[in-house]
Amino acid sequence: MTQSPTDQSSTDQSALSPSPFSAADQRFVAELLGRMTLAEKIGQMTQPEKNSVKPGDVARLGLGSVLSGGGGNPEPNTAQSWRSMVAALIDEAHTSRLQIPLIYGVDAVHGHNNVVGATIFPHNIGLGATHDPDLLRRIGRATALEVAATDVRWAFAPAVSLPQDIRWGRSYEGYSQDHELVSSLASALIEGLRGDAWNSATSVLPSVKHFVADGATDWGSSRRVDRRTLASDRTLSIAQMGQSFVDLLDLGAWQLDQGDASVTEATLRETHLSPYRAAIQAGALNVMVSYSSWLGQKLHGHHHLISEVLKGELGFEGFVVSDWEGVDQLGADYDECVVQSINAGMDMVMVPFDYQRFIASLTRAAQSGRVAQTRIDDAVRRILSVKRALGLFGNPHTDPALLAQVGSDQHRALAREAVSKSLVLLKNDGDVLPLSPTGPALLVAGIDADDLGAQCGGWTVSWMGGRGPVTPGTTILAGLRASLGSDRVVHSPDGHTESRFPVGLVVLAEEPYAEGMGDRSDLGLTPEQMALLERVRANCERLVVLLLCGRPLIVSEQLPQWDALVAAWLPGSEGQGVADVLCGAQPFSGRLSFDWPASHADLPRRPGSRTLFALGDGLVTSVSLTVGSALDGADE
Ligand code: BGC
Ligand code: BGC
């Protein structure tokens, strides 16, 4: 059949690509749907947080899914008790009238990061710097095995955000500001999470998020949090931020996150939408909607973008899930919120607290006709089709032998490789790096050199992350000691020393944060960090600075005093990977996936903004097996 150009542009993509669901599975789902009551259908559309679920309600209400929020862990927090917790809910679902399997969801955004003892991979900004889809595929697979080990088959990842303003607290969740790089890395991660096929025993359903343009919001456009609403905000009180959170508000918290993206439709389509196109092509079957708005309209109620663009034009046949309490934010009247969101095309609602209220509300809407029966059937058909595609109806449990995969040596070796490939060398005067494997001792300064939590960042064991030994791993200091020998590494947490050193390495970290809590107006170094730098500068010939950061920091004024600068991002549990590169066992090969702004005046990035370094920059070294350094590359 020939088509005129006009026909072409209006063609529904779904008509062109085959359904991701087999004909037999579609028949199975249609038959099952025909036997479901309205209550059972609404149950499938409901996703509470595990701490809110009352005993018996999973079976009684036929709940479709349960999630753990960041830090929603069992006690004790071990892989084994995670498995017991999840398996019990799956078993309970199996006693419901129709025995529809429950799917459990977690934020496995850099490894199975809520689980103590899991392998923690670098956050996405670091993986972006590797520019290495094959690595992402392998990380996806390793993550899937660790997630599946705990009987979980759904990870709320990858974020395909394109952070445009690095003051955003979720910048590190994005691989890059560039949509092509994000598309290729996210697609590879999705393939890794899937493995051989969606119905294979260790596939994990990715959630591509946050639809759409979450990374394009304008400073000051977020209204979610202010001092008055703070005390009554249940989500934030769970995070137990207390006074420290109030202080963060003064530094810019919640200025960007969940705000409004005022980009044109052309920009939305050409850039922010394109990773979704790529993800669907890679087989994605779930998309999470963003808290944010586009041109003043919240995505959670956006019929055009969810139903017409995502499900229509892009041909997405999987299901769409809301973000945590995202539906509630549509307005003051909860019933209205539910009607608007479901009618916009929301298929499952991450409630997460008062699911009885959600169920009552959607039941009223369905009975009064404000939400059509066909819309509910469409939502449930999508959810069941994905569960069927994952093979959950045949066997809702994974193999308990997978528990041996959690934090395994093999996965830690992969994370170590990822860390090595993610480091970006931005300055290296006199080839101070890599460090000499022999000779006098190295001064390592700063508490952050020996802090697992600081190098893992947010979304590690708890939502915000935290300092200290939050999970087993290797700190950067421990890695350096292993590489150079303990007697050749002197650690000074506060930078004071009695003697002079040929080389001083200062490790500086951002305090761990997540989401809007990490929105910041000031990306400069703190006064304490500057003082530490000064002390070390005075006691060493050459100064190397290593930043543990969720985004580029503003360092133009300090840089001239430094001989070398390394961006190590948020490398995760395997600090040995940092030492491998600093000491020359692995080359520096990472390249920036973001522009590095020259000053605060250059934020947000816009045409004409000045950069200290640009996307793609990064010095490349070769492996030095002998004494001294071997810089072979120039600025790319
Ligand atoms: C975040 C999502 C996350 C969800 C579940 C939300 O606050 O925006 O990225 O997947 O919570 O924890
Ligand atoms: C986060 C959850 C977290 C919760 C409470 C949400 O916004 O996404 O993962 O557990 O807040 O702290």
Side-chain angles (χ1 to χ4, degrees):
M1 196 177 98
T2 53
Q3 283 178 322
S4 72
T6 355
D7 286 335
Q8 194 93 48
S9 61
S10 63
T11 300
D12 182 353
Q13 287 270 309
S14 58
L16 302 176
S17 49
S19 168
F21 309 121
S22 73
D25 284 354
Q26 291 180 40
R27 275 195 304 277
F28 173 90
V29 167
E31 192 272 334
L32 177 56
L33 194 59
R35 290 193 286 133
M36 292 173 78
T37 63
L38 176 64
E40 285 165 335
K41 291 174 184 173
I42 291 177
Q44 285 300 308
M45 296 170 71
T46 308
Q47 184 189 50
E49 212 270 345
K50 67 106 181 161
N51 287 323
S52 299
V53 180
K54 299 208 172 58
D57 272 4
V58 164
R60 190 173 65 85
L61 303 171
L63 299 178
S65 178
V66 172
L67 89 146
S68 276
N73 55 278
E75 287 297 342
N77 188 340
T78 61
Q80 177 61 64
S81 53
W82 272 87
R83 185 173 176 97
S84 307
M85 169 181 82
V86 176
L89 293 167
I90 292 173
D91 286 340
E92 188 184 330
H94 201 65
T95 66
S96 64
R97 186 179 78 95
L98 293 170
Q99 303 180 359
I100 297 174
L102 173 137
I103 185 163
Y104 200 94
V106 297
D107 287 287
V109 300
H110 61 146
H112 197 358
N113 47 64
N114 286 313
V115 180
V116 171
T119 308
I120 305 297
F121 291 92
H123 268 300
N124 286 349
I125 192 168
L127 298 181
T130 70
H131 298 252
D132 185 346
D134 176 62
L135 176 68
L136 270 286
R137 204 169 289 115
R138 290 183 287 137
I139 290 175
R141 193 79 294 266
T143 302
L145 292 175
E146 299 204 13
V147 168
T150 57
D151 230 2
V152 175
R153 296 287 297 278
W154 186 5
F156 304 131
V160 295
S161 323
L162 307 174
Q164 301 301 300
D165 185 340
I166 58 163
R167 294 173 296 180
W168 190 29
R170 303 188 86 134
S171 296
Y172 67 75
E173 294 189 49
Y175 296 110
S176 172
Q177 72 193 31
D178 175 69
H179 71 90
E180 287 178 16
L181 183 54
V182 170
S183 294
S184 87
L185 297 182
S187 301
L189 187 91
I190 290 167
E191 289 165 16
L193 287 172
R194 180 188 57 210
D196 295 336
W198 286 126
N199 65 4
S200 69
T202 61
S203 69
V204 167
L205 176 69
S207 188
V208 187
K209 68 187 191 184
H210 307 82
F211 185 81
V212 57
D214 56 339
T217 60
D218 299 325
W219 183 264
S221 67
S222 175
R223 268 178 247 304
R224 181 180 174 202
V225 179
D226 62 32
R227 273 165 223 281
R228 285 162 302 142
T229 56
L230 191 56
S232 57
D233 190 307
R234 184 150 176 204
T235 291
L236 297 174
S237 48
I238 291 177
Q240 294 176 333
M241 299 291 292
Q243 181 58 36
S244 65
F245 174 71
V246 178
D247 297 341
L248 287 180
L249 286 176
D250 295 327
L251 299 174
W254 260 295
Q255 293 289 338
L256 279 164
D257 193 48
Q258 311 193 0
D260 182 52
S262 61
V263 296
T264 63
E265 177 146 12
T267 301
L268 184 94
R269 285 174 173 278
E270 282 154 28
T271 59
H272 299 280
L273 206 53
S274 63
Y276 291 91
R277 232 174 258 125
I280 292 167
Q281 210 136 47
L285 295 175
N286 177 249
V287 167
M288 188 188 294
V289 176
S290 178
Y291 286 121
S292 57
S293 308
W294 178 48
L295 299 174
Q297 192 185 336
K298 287 216 171 262
L299 269 302
H300 273 74
H302 214 297
H303 181 267
H304 173 61
L305 288 177
I306 298 175
S307 288
E308 290 169 23
V309 175
L310 177 65
K311 293 181 176 177
E313 276 177 53
L314 268 53
F316 177 65
E317 294 199 44
F319 71 97
V320 173
V321 66
S322 84
D323 204 340
W324 175 285
E325 271 189 311
V327 169
D328 307 47
Q329 293 187 23
L330 290 175
D333 178 341
Y334 188 65
D335 280 356
E336 285 293 329
C337 297
V338 170
V339 168
Q340 196 193 337
S341 191
I342 303 298
N343 283 342
M346 197 68 73
D347 300 313
M348 185 185 280
V349 172
M350 189 187 289
V351 177
F353 303 118
D354 195 350
Y355 54 96
Q356 297 91 338
R357 182 176 70 137
F358 166 71
I359 289 170
S361 176
L362 184 53
T363 305
R364 270 193 299 278
Q367 284 166 347
S368 67
R370 296 185 72 203
V371 170
Q373 188 64 51
T374 49
R375 175 70 271 276
I376 294 195
D377 285 350
D378 173 56
V380 178
R381 186 179 46 76
R382 287 167 179 273
I383 294 164
L384 296 179
S385 298
V386 173
K387 289 182 174 183
R388 179 73 180 172
L390 289 169
L392 298 181
F393 282 92
N395 183 7
H397 292 292
T398 59
D399 182 354
L402 285 166
L403 281 169
Q405 302 278 348
V406 178
S408 69
D409 290 348
Q410 216 187 336
H411 293 170
R412 289 183 188 275
L414 175 61
R416 176 175 171 181
E417 175 191 343
V419 172
S420 291
K421 291 180 169 169
S422 71
L423 298 195
V424 183
L425 179 60
L426 292 163
K427 179 177 181 180
N428 195 25
D429 280 2
D431 295 358
V432 57
L433 291 175
L435 300 166
S436 163
T438 58
L442 167 76
L443 172 64
V444 179
I447 51 171
D448 300 326
D450 198 24
D451 192 317
L452 224 293
Q455 74 192 44
C456 287
W459 295 107
T460 310
V461 183
S462 62
W463 182 30
M464 290 292 129
R467 284 189 167 273
V470 294
T471 193
T474 306
T475 67
I476 292 167
L477 181 68
L480 287 167
R481 287 195 165 132
S483 293
L484 297 174
S486 292
D487 53 329
R488 290 198 50 233
V489 177
V490 175
H491 183 218
S492 170
D494 64 4
H496 287 292
T497 69
E498 298 292 298
S499 32
R500 252 188 105 66
F501 291 80
V503 179
L505 169 70
V506 178
V507 179
L508 302 175
E510 281 193 286
E511 291 302 314
Y513 55 79
E515 302 190 36
M517 236 81 96
D519 291 355
R520 288 284 182 285
S521 54
D522 187 348
L523 295 183
L525 301 178
T526 66
E528 295 76 26
Q529 291 174 330
M530 308 260 224
L532 173 67
L533 285 165
E534 253 173 61
R535 279 196 292 276
V536 177
R537 178 75 279 184
N539 284 319
C540 61
E541 298 304 319
R542 303 210 279 174
L543 178 64
V544 177
V545 174
L546 183 124
L547 297 178
L548 295 170
C549 50
R551 50 196 154 192
L553 300 176
I554 306 293
V555 296
S556 301
E557 281 180 25
Q558 294 80 36
L559 187 62
Q561 285 102 59
W562 306 345
D563 296 283
L565 169 59
V566 178
W569 317 113
L570 298 167
S573 59
E574 304 314 307
Q576 186 64 54
V578 175
D580 289 343
V581 180
L582 291 179
C583 302
Q586 296 295 333
F588 277 100
S589 62
R591 289 178 293 116
L592 293 179
S593 59
F594 283 82
D595 286 331
W596 194 296
S599 76
H600 283 102
D602 298 299
L603 293 170
R605 191 170 60 83
R606 55 189 178 279
S609 292
R610 293 165 314 139
T611 57
L612 179 59
F613 307 106
L615 188 153
D617 280 356
L619 299 162
V620 177
T621 60
S622 59
V623 176
S624 70
L625 297 170
T626 50
V627 181
S629 58
L631 188 78
D632 74 350
D635 209 334
E636 294 250 317

